[in-house]
Amino acid sequence: MKLTVWTYEGPPHVGAMRIATAMKGVHYVLHAPQGDTYADLLFTMIERRNHRPPVTYTTFQARDLGGDTADLFKAAARDAYDRFKPDAMIVGASCTAELIQDDPGGLAKAIGLPIPVLPLDLPSYQKKESWGAAETFYQLVRALAGSSPVPRTPAGRPRCNILGPTALGFRHRDDLIEVKRLLRRLGVDVNVTAPLDATADDLRRLPDADFNVVLYPEIAGVAAGWLERTHGQPTIKTLPIGVGATREFIAEVAALAGVDPALAMDDCGSRSPWWSRSVDSTYLTGKRVFIFGDASHAIAAARVASEELGFEVVGLGAYNREFARDVRAAAERLGLTALITDDYLEVERAIADLQPELVLGTQMERHIAKRLRIPCAVISAPSHVQDFPARFSPQMGFEGANVIFDTWVHPLVMGLEEHLLSMFRDDFEFNDEAGPSHLGHGAAPSAPAPAAAAPAGVTWAHDAQAELNKIPFFVRGKARRNTEAFAAERGIATIQIETLYDARSHFAR
Amino acid sequence: MFCGLTGIVWLHRKIQDAFFLVVGSRTCAHLIQSAAGVMVFAEPRFATAIMEERDLAGLADANDELDRVVDELLARRPDIRMLFLVGSCPSEVIKLDLSRAAQRLSKKHAPALRVINYSGSGIETTFTQGEDACLAALVPEAPSNPAGAPASLLVVGTLPDIVEDQFRRLLGEIGIPKVDFFPPRRSGDIPAIGPGTRFLLAQPFLGDTTLKLEDRGAVRIPALFPFGAEGTTAWLTAAAEAWNIDPAHVQRVVAPGQERARRALERHRETLAGKTLFLFPDSQLEPCLARFLSRELGMKLIEVGTPYLNKDLLSRELEALPDDVLISEGQDVDRQLDRCRAARPDMVVCGLGLANPLEAEGLTTKWSIELVFSPVHGFDQAADLAGLFARPLRRQTMLKV
Ligand code: SF4
């Protein structure tokens, strides 16, 4: 058993729902109790979808157990077919149904529906949401695309598939638009995009492309690997997040497709490099950022933060163990040890210890950062309703890099304001406790920051504490921690003003 | 429709030194977090002990594991005085005996901590039934009324503190000598229960709790539920009658509240009167809401769905409903959707999963979870309750996009 306060990922059947909901004409019959229908709201409320997810729940109850839960399943599958007339069906069990072992796959086969029916085996007590999504997508691709060669469209322009965008994905809708634009400029045609808005027939046509562009390895990595092995379609693996990665993505696609990369390279809409070089951004230099999310977004964010914004990455981690190796490697390149955990409390501790100036994370980290009074921007699922904005806001491509520049810089105190705050610390109106002035009072965190406990035996003299309070809040936590560590190391029991400045010069080296 | 685990979201706020530990799966953890609107509470007093493969394969002894998790929890939250072990579908299906675990843990951590168990599983409970199961499990913890103790009134069902305070004032002015609320705000303050106890339900979904209270000799006072001016008056009057208090005096006490409620409802009546209403089953509050909306606001009822209809507890509510109304018990969402689409009501009350899809079809909805998350009982909240329904309709007329 594992004590869990908040979870980064839902159960694997929620991953399967994300695939079914993204596609058209695919229905999911889920052997599950009534209560599991809560998952519908993830799509209808958080993502504001205007249709119910195409999921039929069998809603068995305690009194059905040991009796006719299997019949219930068959009836539900038959009714779902009659009512929704899908082109393909996936069937499976939620955590509870897994325990009663009704074999939804076998039952569905027995009723002999005239459409492809795919049994999903998603072990709820071992795996999680992203794995469930990847497995579901892979099973659908394998079953529908088949392994025999398909007749190819006569050679013409290069063609690719775009794999990965799905329901409840962080900015998938807008990334897709941006990536399609890049491909169009390169003269590469898109054969199929999947799973988002794809039909069963679209999946059958997948082999009719030269290569696959995988936007979200967590969702489409497994399916792309199979297509590569079975149909000889190479995979574009670079994720075009950030200017540098977008250029590499263009180069990689161009090389594979045999086209001129220059066609898409000089995007005059790419403003973030100049925004970053302009003098106003000097104050961003060396800002200490903590990054946590799904592996792909976290790794990409670390690169953008260090290479394109001039931040210092002080922590990097991910919650999905499936991609831990990549995160570890990325962290090592930055001289860090990756934090691989799905324990929210552990992430909170890491952030409290590191006292970064900016947190780039999921909505969980947004919450942690709010409590610790640290600015934050969301870079990855799990996300909340405000992470599905009405406006166009991709993360990928040149426009994505512009969006990233804006959203990461916005929560910070601006350059000159930062100076003024340090110069006139006691100004009763221009009070640093209020947070960045352009964010208004709403930005002032409500909960007091939990003071990290001082090492045993170290206390603050009254005037040293007063001096510490003159340090702007966004670096105060770090100053406090450093000074306490400095004092503890030297056996100083009471921190005086002198100790504070000694520590400062010590850590400035 | 959610399962009974959802009740934890409001119960853990009510009993301020209690912690709710769900013994379940990742799904259960995900449900509570999604129902709670994700991360709204800084430090929630609930968590899930997620069962893993090794727990199921018998590689780990479930009881040892549970002890370990509880120790971990108490180390983090030493201020907790009452721990609820909450059963889920998986724990019920594998027949994990949480009542024995609760006894064992109670002994181990006595007297600092009491451990109680109930099930909020989706194979036995829906949504608000979780509160019923929780309160039913809490009844045996109440001390006994000494024989011959003077009669006292117990108000049963989770109410927001502000509403509780209003009712306490009103019942005091009416002249009821001793009034207690259940559940209490602190686990150490569970009121004594016994043959002298007369109780009023504040929520209609408390069937099991009622049986448990009756087992202890407590006697229920039948009444309308305290929604709207009419319901609140009837509810308070029923209590006064049980104490043989002069009706003229009661009328004097409730008159100002009644008057305030009526005045405040006027505005919403303009918006709601004559509008047709379809309620999907969700919280078991539906019959009471339908009565309030039809009798005090003039809405026309098309269908009143409820996940479960306790005809005994709701007898007065059912009498107060128009004769021709269709009351449907249980859930068959596709058929209900068919009927709803055919009727094209002016307002649909439904769960979060259906609201946006129905709005996209041009229907106006009120999602029902708000009804259990906001103060809606009593005179001074009557207009707020009406406002929850009026606002979506007013919004429709305002929007020009
Ligand atoms: S319905 Fe059952 S399995 Fe699903 S969340 Fe509720 S208790 Fe857990």
Side-chain angles (χ1 to χ4, degrees):
Chain A
M1 280 180 202
K2 180 141 177 50
L3 181 62
T4 307
V5 182
W6 302 111
T7 69
Y8 284 91
E9 294 185 79
H13 71 256
V14 168
M17 281 183 75
R18 291 176 58 188
I19 303 299
T21 304
M23 290 185 66
K24 293 196 185 315
V26 173
H27 201 86
Y28 186 14
V29 179
L30 181 63
H31 206 15
Q34 172 74 56
D36 286 354
T37 60
Y38 80 88
D40 285 357
L41 81 88
L42 304 170
F43 301 91
T44 63
M45 294 302 286
I46 296 179
E47 201 180 11
R48 300 182 209 248
R49 281 192 171 256
N50 59 9
H51 278 86
R52 290 167 66 210
V55 182
T56 296
Y57 305 82
T58 56
T59 69
F60 58 84
Q61 300 178 356
R63 60 162 188 261
D64 304 318
L65 293 181
D68 42 11
T69 51
D71 289 340
L72 257 173
F73 180 87
K74 285 201 264 188
R78 229 180 270 119
D79 286 354
Y81 175 75
D82 291 342
R83 182 174 282 271
F84 299 103
K85 293 275 183 303
D87 305 320
M89 190 183 275
I90 52 180
V91 299
S94 76
C95 53
T96 307
E98 188 181 328
L99 297 172
I100 59 179
Q101 301 183 327
D102 272 340
D103 181 23
L107 294 170
K109 204 164 160 204
I111 61 175
L113 296 176
I115 49 167
V117 176
L118 251 85
L120 292 176
D121 184 17
L122 309 176
S124 305
Y125 298 91
Q126 293 171 24
K127 302 292 190 182
K128 288 177 275 186
E129 179 179 332
S130 307
W131 185 89
E135 173 71 11
T136 303
F137 185 51
Y138 160 64
Q139 293 291 351
L140 277 164
V141 167
R142 207 178 69 154
L144 293 167
S147 35
S148 32
V150 297
R152 289 290 316 267
T153 304
R157 282 159 49 109
R159 295 154 68 80
C160 71
N161 301 311
I162 301 179
L163 305 181
T166 192
L168 263 188
F170 182 69
R171 307 293 164 85
H172 289 196
R173 172 199 73 190
D174 296 345
D175 284 348
L176 185 59
I177 295 170
E178 189 62 16
V179 167
K180 279 185 173 168
R181 183 152 73 192
L182 289 176
L183 293 169
R184 201 164 42 241
R185 295 186 61 187
L186 285 169
V188 174
D189 289 338
V190 176
N191 176 47
V192 168
T193 300
L196 195 62
D197 293 332
T199 61
D201 274 339
D202 288 337
L203 297 194
R204 293 190 179 96
R205 294 192 297 112
L206 279 171
D208 187 15
D210 305 314
F211 59 96
N212 291 312
V213 172
V214 172
L215 297 187
Y216 309 103
E218 274 85 351
I219 309 285
V222 185
W226 180 83
L227 285 167
E228 183 154 3
R229 288 192 303 278
T230 312
H231 292 281
Q233 295 170 321
T235 310
I236 300 288
K237 293 221 170 77
T238 308
L239 305 183
I241 298 180
V243 172
T246 298
R247 293 205 176 112
E248 279 167 26
F249 172 84
I250 292 168
E252 195 181 345
V253 170
L256 245 182
V259 298
D260 179 5
L263 291 169
M265 240 5 142
D266 62 331
D267 191 310
C268 53
S270 175
R271 280 176 290 269
S272 79
W274 169 241
W275 254 239
S276 198
R277 284 183 188 279
S278 66
V279 291
D280 182 77
S281 297
T282 314
Y283 77 96
L284 301 175
T285 313
K287 286 254 185 233
R288 307 168 71 254
V289 297
F290 179 91
I291 299 173
F292 195 85
D294 70 33
S296 303
H297 283 91
I299 294 169
R303 176 172 174 190
V304 174
S306 58
E307 294 179 8
E308 299 180 18
L309 284 151
F311 292 155
E312 181 195 351
V313 180
V314 294
L316 175 61
Y319 56 78
N320 48 344
R321 282 174 199 284
E322 290 87 353
F323 289 73
R325 191 148 23 105
D326 302 340
V327 185
R328 291 212 174 87
E332 238 162 67
R333 282 196 294 278
L334 293 161
L336 302 167
T337 308
L339 176 65
I340 309 293
T341 181
D342 62 351
D343 184 346
Y344 161 84
L345 300 171
E346 209 177 315
V347 180
E348 184 179 50
R349 268 196 300 278
I351 296 175
D353 284 349
L354 286 164
Q355 291 283 342
E357 290 160 273
L358 176 68
V359 171
L360 301 174
T362 72
Q363 61 148 329
M364 312 289 205
E365 284 68 45
R366 170 163 52 212
H367 191 76
I368 295 170
K370 191 170 150 209
R371 290 220 292 144
L372 299 177
R373 319 186 63 174
I374 301 170
C376 178
V378 171
I379 58 157
S380 156
S383 40
H384 202 29
V385 62
Q386 67 256 54
D387 303 311
F388 291 89
R391 65 179 187 277
F392 181 57
S393 30
Q395 300 287 291
M396 293 185 171
F398 292 117
E399 184 57 20
N402 296 338
V403 169
I404 285 174
F405 183 93
D406 289 348
T407 37
W408 295 6
V409 168
H410 180 76
L412 298 169
V413 178
M414 288 194 246
L416 272 179
E417 183 171 19
E418 195 173 291
H419 288 306
L420 287 171
L421 284 172
S422 344
M423 284 169 69
F424 308 109
R425 289 158 187 163
D426 291 335
D427 184 322
F428 69 98
E429 285 177 325
F430 197 41
N431 185 323
D432 71 0
E433 299 287 335
S437 64
H438 65 284
L439 298 183
H441 289 288
S446 45
V458 178
T459 56
W460 285 76
H462 189 73
D463 54 352
Q465 179 72 53
E467 194 75 7
L468 177 71
N469 287 340
K470 293 182 194 166
I471 295 174
F473 77 94
F474 42 85
V475 283
R476 193 180 303 143
K478 182 177 150 201
R480 165 183 219 112
R481 227 168 40 93
N482 284 350
T483 310
E484 284 166 355
F486 178 83
E489 220 171 79
R490 281 162 188 71
I492 300 172
T494 307
I495 295 170
Q496 308 289 351
I497 293 186
E498 284 302 304
T499 327
L500 180 63
Y501 285 105
D502 285 347
R504 191 168 169 221
S505 80
H506 174 79
F507 285 102
R509 279 179 306 149
Chain B
M1 220 166 11
F2 296 142
C3 62
L5 295 183
T6 322
I8 292 171
V9 177
W10 61 89
L11 286 164
H12 93 281
R13 291 281 104 179
K14 183 72 200 180
I15 315 176
Q16 292 164 17
D17 55 358
F19 196 101
F20 291 78
L21 180 66
V22 177
V23 182
S25 64
R26 181 165 303 281
T27 316
C28 307
H30 200 230
L31 158 92
I32 305 179
Q33 146 171 348
S34 310
V38 186
M39 321 285 288
V40 281
F41 310 120
E43 174 80 27
R45 286 189 309 276
F46 58 76
T48 308
I50 295 185
M51 295 193 276
E52 293 168 327
E53 194 62 20
R54 42 196 294 275
D55 299 303
L56 299 173
L59 294 178
D61 179 80
N63 287 311
D64 293 347
E65 286 290 294
L66 201 54
D67 286 9
R68 182 180 54 72
V69 166
V70 169
D71 285 345
E72 203 180 315
L73 186 81
L74 293 175
R76 257 182 82 76
R77 297 301 300 263
D79 51 323
I80 295 304
R81 293 289 161 265
M82 180 170 275
L83 174 66
F84 288 94
L85 296 180
V86 188
S88 65
C89 304
S91 77
E92 296 293 325
V93 169
I94 65 167
K95 302 204 161 53
L96 195 58
D97 190 343
L98 290 182
S99 74
R100 289 216 358 236
Q103 281 172 16
R104 189 185 66 247
L105 285 161
S106 259
K107 236 180 246 147
K108 179 173 166 192
H109 297 284
L113 180 76
R114 271 195 281 181
V115 186
I116 297 169
N117 78 289
Y118 73 91
S119 173
S121 85
I123 52 177
E124 295 152 305
T125 62
T126 66
F127 198 23
T128 49
Q129 280 177 315
E131 174 173 338
D132 189 24
C134 173
L135 299 192
L138 200 56
V139 171
E141 298 298 312
S144 294
N145 250 347
S152 66
L153 176 65
L154 188 68
V155 176
V156 183
T158 300
L159 290 170
D161 293 348
I162 179 171
V163 176
E164 207 173 283
D165 294 340
Q166 289 169 4
F167 283 157
R168 190 184 291 282
R169 277 198 301 275
L170 281 168
L171 290 163
E173 280 172 42
I174 285 174
I176 296 182
K178 183 168 171 6
V179 182
D180 294 306
F181 287 82
F182 187 79
R185 296 184 198 185
R186 300 199 66 83
S187 64
D189 300 338
I190 303 179
I193 295 171
T197 306
R198 317 294 305 271
F199 68 96
L200 263 181
L201 293 180
Q203 301 281 20
F205 44 73
L206 298 173
D208 286 351
T209 309
T210 296
L211 294 178
K212 281 276 162 39
L213 287 166
E214 288 171 348
D215 283 351
R216 297 278 299 261
V219 178
R220 182 170 69 91
I221 304 171
L224 281 185
F225 288 87
F227 299 101
E230 183 189 25
T232 307
T233 304
W235 190 76
L236 292 168
T237 307
E241 277 167 7
W243 264 263
N244 288 320
I245 293 166
D246 174 17
H249 169 67
V250 177
Q251 189 47 43
R252 269 195 303 279
V253 174
V254 299
Q258 260 180 345
E259 186 44 37
R260 279 199 304 275
R262 290 214 177 101
R263 236 184 359 240
L265 284 173
E266 267 319 301
R267 193 167 82 94
H268 297 306
R269 211 184 144 83
E270 280 166 30
T271 313
L272 295 171
K275 298 283 194 309
T276 53
L277 178 70
F278 189 109
L279 297 105
F280 277 85
D282 203 42
S283 63
Q284 289 192 51
L285 295 176
E286 293 83 3
C288 311
L289 297 171
R291 182 260 302 157
F292 167 62
L293 291 166
S294 66
R295 291 170 64 103
E296 293 189 51
L297 293 146
M299 292 189 83
K300 294 205 167 63
L301 305 175
I302 295 178
E303 176 165 343
V304 181
T306 178
Y308 175 72
L309 186 62
N310 187 327
K311 292 213 172 79
D312 187 25
L313 298 187
L314 284 155
S315 59
R316 305 227 168 164
E317 295 286 350
L318 297 175
E319 281 162 25
L321 284 175
D323 293 333
D324 57 347
V325 66
L326 171 62
I327 299 181
S328 63
E329 188 182 0
Q331 169 133 340
D332 188 334
V333 71
D334 286 315
R335 297 221 175 98
Q336 278 151 344
L337 276 169
D338 290 345
R339 292 200 296 273
C340 178
R341 287 179 178 129
R344 302 271 332 151
D346 297 314
M347 156 129 313
V348 183
V349 180
C350 62
L352 292 171
L354 291 177
N356 267 334
L358 289 174
E359 291 276 349
E361 292 177 27
L363 293 163
T364 301
T365 63
K366 167 76 227 110
W367 24 293
S368 45
I369 196 162
E370 222 176 339
L371 300 164
V372 291
F373 282 172
S374 37
V376 294
H377 295 73
F379 291 127
D380 291 304
Q381 283 68 235
D384 299 338
L385 178 57
L388 291 178
F389 298 90
R391 194 177 306 133
L393 287 166
R394 286 217 320 276
R395 188 166 178 77
Q396 287 302 335
T397 61
M398 287 168 76
L399 294 182
K400 303 284 183 255
V401 294

